[in-house]
Amino acid sequence: MQKIAILIMLLFTGIQLPAQYYSSGADPANVKWRQINSETFKVVYPQEFEKEAKRFIGILDSLYTYGGYSLKHTPKPIKVLIHSRSAYSNGFVSWAPKRMEIYSTPHQDMIAQDWLTQLAIHEFRHVVQIDKLNTGFTKALTIPFGQQAIGAVLGLYAPLWFLEGDATLTETTLSQSGRGRRPAFEQEIRAQLLEKKAYHYDKAYFGSYKDYVPNHYHMGYLLTAGARYKYGSEVWEKALDEAGRNSWSITPFNRGIKSVTGKNKVPLYNEVFEDWKKRWQRQADTTRYTPFQQITQRDKRYKNYRYPTPLDNTYLLAEVEGPGELNHFVKINIQTGKEEKLLVTGSREREPFTYANRQLVWTELEQHPRWDNQNFTVLRALDLTTLKQRKIITRSRYKGPALSPDAQTIAAVHTSLNNTHSLHLLNTQTGALIKKITPPDNAYPLTPAWNEDGNQLVTVLITPQGKRLATFSLEHSKWSDVMPASFTEIRFPKFKDDYIYFTGSYNGIENIYRINWKGGRPERLTQSEFGAAFANFGPNNELYYQDYTSDGYLIVSTELKQLHPHRKIAEQLPVEPLINRLQEDEKGLPLLDSLNTSQYLSKKYSKWNLFNFHSWAPMYMNVNDAEVSTGASILSQNLLGTTFTSFGYNADKQFSREKFSFNLSYQAWWPVFDLDIKLGNETVEGMYLNETDFIIDSYDAKPNHALIDFEMKLPLNFTRGKYLRRLEPSIGLSYQLSSDIDYTRYYLALDDNGQPILEDGKYVVANYETRQYEGIDIKSVDYSLFAYNLLRTTQRDVASRWGQVVELNYQHTPFAGWNYGSLLGIHTRLYLPGFGRHHAIRVDNDWQSKEKGEANGQMSEYNRFRMYSDYIKFPRGIERFYNDQLYSFKGDYMMPLINPDLNIPGLMYLKRITANLFYDYSKAQQKLQVAETGEWIKQSAEVSSLGLELRGELHPFRFVFPITVGYRYAYLPDSEKNYHELLLSMGVSGLVIGK
């Protein structure tokens, strides 16, 4: 019954669910949108992308009867939004509202397949998976709840490993490429199983802070492929069908698996990965490995050393990344392995850096300050002599840069806004375009490299026939094929003397190969246990490359002359018979190349398509304020992600002032506009005796009430390099209004002693009059400036280890109406590195000052004034009290305490326990006015607390989102009291499924 309770909670709370209420952000305001419609798809795209948009909808239409064949389902129509202005490469499917979003610019770590084709197959499979859930009990839930019902069932029952693994399997079985054919995609789990052990199911699914665990894409592909190979496609078809039809039950997905395999998912996981281990062990037992010299040492915390690049006989460069590492460049002593950190990079896609003549050049992704869906690439350079960094080009779409031997020219891959690919030769100093090189048939180039004379380039070209190795002569402006196209994975070509060295996957494990640049047969040079990649060369003909282990890539070297080239190349990958068997479950291979798109007509798509009502509920749900009660709600989010709307009716009598609500957020322009309106009435009734003035006020009214909040803010993202940076000024207007109240005032009859006269237990009324009580009239203005500069965090950090946060806030009531005075508040936060790895220190210094508003009666012997509530918080464990000025200090030392990976199967998986030592202090001052004399009295108070917080991050009942359960103890030295508090939070974000 636990999961039923969680399902109800997800449906009724309005928190962000898997693929629900998720927004990827807005595209630039100047985009002119077009649309193409077919019977099953609506594709919306920037107008310059029209030719490729027609090709993309043609691919989707061709896939339509193929993509769901093995799941026995054909989905309903869906909308597609293409973000072609972004240099970021990805795609996702979201439900509530239901749509597919595509980031169409290809990247440099691609398989032997066109990027749009891979996206179409993978993302359409997600559409099939989710739409198949819309049956049985789940379909019945959509009547009262709309699309969010499917999103809740998806998050509760369909594991992420299945969703992504099955989509990756489909991109493999419906094409001649796909990540399932790439040995590097399986090498992480292969190495783990052969060198260490198979982790239990919960650890393999939810990850670990102690050990490196391959992600759910890798786990999911091997599990879905292995189970389907052994039991047929029915295993996953039944699992999804059960999850949709019987989502009221406890474990429908599991029951569907068992109906076919006779096993629950955990025993199935164990069986499948034991099969993979045996398969890989057989191959390992018959392989003789290449001896090498190890340059870097294994790190049990897992660390990848990539792209070894020799500087001289003593040092080489590499890029380092891992779950506990900020991505950075290092200089490594070849003899000792000692590392010197050179630079922490910003956000990077998986592609090599380039080096020549003391210059190191690489690309980073940078977002437009305002538009989330406009990302650029930036070419950066580091001078190794001076260690000064500079930008060569900003706001570009360049990828895969390669420095010429003299470091005067950069060859980089460029993709235009209409998806035309080319190689650009750029001046290293200025970034100016020297020459544009057009590949044949708009093939996409991968990781170009120069020959030693600087007059030829070599690159891998992605074509409809697969990947092919090609050179371009700058002297003759001519392309030449070195190796014909095939779907076997090849990457990272490098010139050396008469050969081109590259990474190939011919025997099912990546190794270093070479081929004469004039053509011929490739030769295998290395035999790695798990994967060798990225060949490079030292001054004395040493071969350097990255070799994979279960603790990450290590840098190794060997002498070229000691290698024995092998010309015998496997005719097919060892995994190909398995894939051939799985392809028998499919309808066939769809024809996705050379499509006729002439039948597709485009038309304008208006930016003013503002409403798309996707979900509703017989409950009042206010997502912004986290309020849930009886009532009704309806939610809207338009396709462009620029307008979010909700309507609600709150039937809870305790919220009668807020009976009706309307929320609108418009994000299409530079400023974001948020409007929140709440309307209702309030029952005011009863008789109140004033024993001093001997009057009785009698109320019987229902005044109307309105609360209108309007905010205009400018969210600016200046994230650059290793720092996350944001600046957000805002101004808000709040208007709270209620109608006047008519009430009756009764004046009591008094006796000769001036006391009220009682007759039969009731007061005698001398006379009465009708009076009016002034309704609420508050017009408040709020000015705010929020900014932060934070060092990026690693997966294992508990908080940023360096950074600053500041917020300024000023509120006042400058217009006619009730006067609440003003409030000025300042919040500052400083992050510092702790003493241990992944430890952090957080220091808050906050201050606020209030000006009193108009007098509002008396409180005891003092006058009472209208005032704003506190902007900053008191120490933990201390209840707030009235103040005019408040200073607050909070100091925290945060650290990971233990990573137990404690598992009680099916009940709880505890990943990490963190500790937080804290000390809080506040000093408050207040001015009080004596009502009788008008004299002002000053008071001050100092309070503090210190204590400990313990938090455990866990997954209960295999719930996809981590839940944090904690305990807070505080000692209050001023009162010598102890304070205890339970802490609970859920790590819920707008989870989507995609690439």
Side-chain angles (χ1 to χ4, degrees), residues 39-41 60-78 95 98 124-135 139 237 240-241 245 586-587:
E39 292 183 1
T40 47
F41 300 96
L60 289 174
D61 278 341
S62 299
L63 274 172
Y64 189 65
T65 58
Y66 290 82
Y69 187 81
S70 60
L71 288 178
K72 298 180 181 177
H73 185 73
T74 302
K76 296 177 179 62
I78 191 170
W95 226 255
K98 164 185 171 183
F124 181 66
R125 183 64 167 196
H126 286 318
V127 175
V128 173
Q129 294 164 347
I130 305 173
D131 195 76
K132 187 174 174 65
L133 291 172
N134 189 20
T135 186
K139 189 170 185 177
E237 188 273 325
L240 273 185
D241 192 59
R245 290 185 183 279
E586 306 290 357
K587 185 178 180 180

Side-chain angles (χ1 to χ4, degrees), residues 832-844:
L832 299 166
F835 298 106
R837 193 177 181 89
H838 310 302
H839 294 205
I841 298 171
R842 184 177 66 200
V843 178
D844 288 2

Side-chain angles (χ1 to χ4, degrees), residues 211-421:
D211 300 306
Y212 176 74
V213 178
N215 66 32
H216 55 274
Y217 286 83
H218 302 105
M219 170 204 175
Y221 166 72
L222 293 169
L223 181 49
T224 55
R228 192 167 129 184
Y229 178 78
K230 196 162 191 174
Y231 296 102
S233 61
E234 189 180 23
V235 58
W236 304 123
E237 188 273 325
K238 287 292 185 185
L240 273 185
D241 192 59
E242 278 288 322
R245 290 185 183 279
N246 302 308
S247 52
W248 53 269
S249 62
I250 300 176
T251 57
F253 189 85
N254 209 30
R255 191 167 58 250
I257 292 174
K258 191 172 184 178
S259 70
V260 177
T261 67
K263 300 177 178 64
N264 293 325
K265 61 175 175 285
V266 175
L268 179 65
Y269 160 82
N270 294 331
E271 178 187 50
V272 166
F273 278 92
E274 183 61 29
D275 289 345
W276 281 111
K277 182 177 180 179
K278 290 177 180 177
R279 179 191 297 269
W280 292 330
Q281 190 65 61
R282 286 194 298 268
Q283 184 178 4
D285 291 342
T286 59
T287 303
R288 297 181 60 184
Y289 303 121
T290 304
F292 53 70
Q293 176 187 349
Q294 189 172 306
I295 308 298
T296 58
Q297 301 303 310
R298 294 176 72 136
D299 189 327
K300 292 183 178 180
R301 294 168 301 198
Y302 193 87
K303 185 187 292 186
N304 279 315
Y305 294 87
R306 298 182 186 272
Y307 319 128
T309 304
L311 295 174
D312 48 37
N313 286 324
T314 306
Y315 295 101
L316 60 78
L317 297 174
E319 187 170 2
V320 177
E321 55 90 13
E325 302 285 338
L326 288 174
N327 204 79
H328 62 278
F329 298 130
V330 293
K331 185 169 75 170
I332 302 172
N333 187 299
I334 295 172
Q335 280 71 42
T336 66
K338 185 178 179 181
E339 300 176 25
E340 176 188 346
K341 183 181 290 188
L342 296 176
L343 177 98
V344 175
T345 74
S347 176
R348 273 174 50 74
E349 291 188 309
R350 184 65 56 77
E351 66 178 45
F353 62 87
T354 180
Y355 169 81
N357 196 22
R358 307 296 295 173
Q359 298 294 311
L360 190 158
V361 173
W362 71 99
T363 63
E364 292 180 4
L365 282 171
E366 287 187 2
Q367 183 190 302
H368 186 280
R370 173 61 184 90
W371 311 117
D372 295 332
N373 286 324
Q374 186 170 33
N375 287 273
F376 306 99
T377 54
V378 175
L379 275 174
R380 292 180 177 267
L382 178 69
D383 189 317
L384 292 189
T385 302
T386 63
L387 293 183
K388 289 184 178 180
Q389 183 189 163
R390 66 186 179 90
K391 287 185 179 181
I392 301 173
I393 295 180
T394 62
R395 299 199 173 191
S396 78
R397 293 169 63 84
Y398 288 119
K399 299 189 178 187
L403 272 170
S404 62
D406 61 4
Q408 297 301 306
T409 308
I410 298 172
V413 179
H414 183 266
T415 300
S416 68
L417 292 177
N418 63 7
N419 216 36
T420 299
H421 312 307

Side-chain angles (χ1 to χ4, degrees), residues 509-653:
I509 295 176
E510 282 199 325
N511 275 292
I512 306 301
Y513 291 77
R514 74 179 184 185
I515 189 172
N516 191 288
W517 71 271
K518 294 182 180 179
R521 291 179 57 83
E523 302 172 334
R524 178 173 52 81
L525 296 179
T526 66
Q527 186 72 292
S528 173
E529 187 171 5
F530 301 115
F534 198 82
N536 224 327
F537 307 95
N540 298 317
N541 277 342
E542 309 97 332
L543 172 66
Y544 293 89
Y545 58 94
Q546 58 194 44
D547 191 74
Y548 193 76
T549 73
S550 59
D551 292 319
Y553 273 113
L554 304 180
I555 295 176
V556 301
S557 70
T558 187
E559 293 186 14
L560 272 176
K561 62 183 180 183
Q562 293 182 348
L563 297 176
H564 304 286
H566 292 265
R567 292 198 169 210
K568 186 177 180 180
I569 303 298
E571 294 183 4
Q572 66 175 13
L573 295 173
V575 76
E576 200 65 39
L578 181 144
I579 294 173
N580 291 339
R581 158 64 190 84
L582 296 177
Q583 285 181 320
E584 294 174 6
D585 301 329
E586 306 290 357
K587 185 178 180 180
L589 290 183
L591 300 177
L592 304 179
D593 299 320
S594 303
L595 297 169
N596 180 10
T597 60
S598 59
Q599 74 273 25
Y600 295 112
L601 302 178
S602 74
K603 60 181 180 180
K604 180 181 177 181
Y605 185 81
S606 174
K607 298 177 184 179
W608 296 103
N609 284 304
L610 301 183
F611 299 104
N612 174 31
F613 295 100
H614 58 82
S615 298
W616 42 87
M619 302 287 292
Y620 174 75
M621 304 188 309
N622 187 319
V623 178
N624 294 331
D625 298 336
E627 295 175 351
V628 182
S629 66
T630 55
S633 301
I634 184 168
L635 306 172
S636 170
Q637 176 179 326
N638 71 337
L639 179 62
L640 297 182
T642 58
T643 309
F644 304 83
T645 314
S646 65
F647 297 88
Y649 168 70
N650 192 339
D652 189 337
K653 293 182 178 180

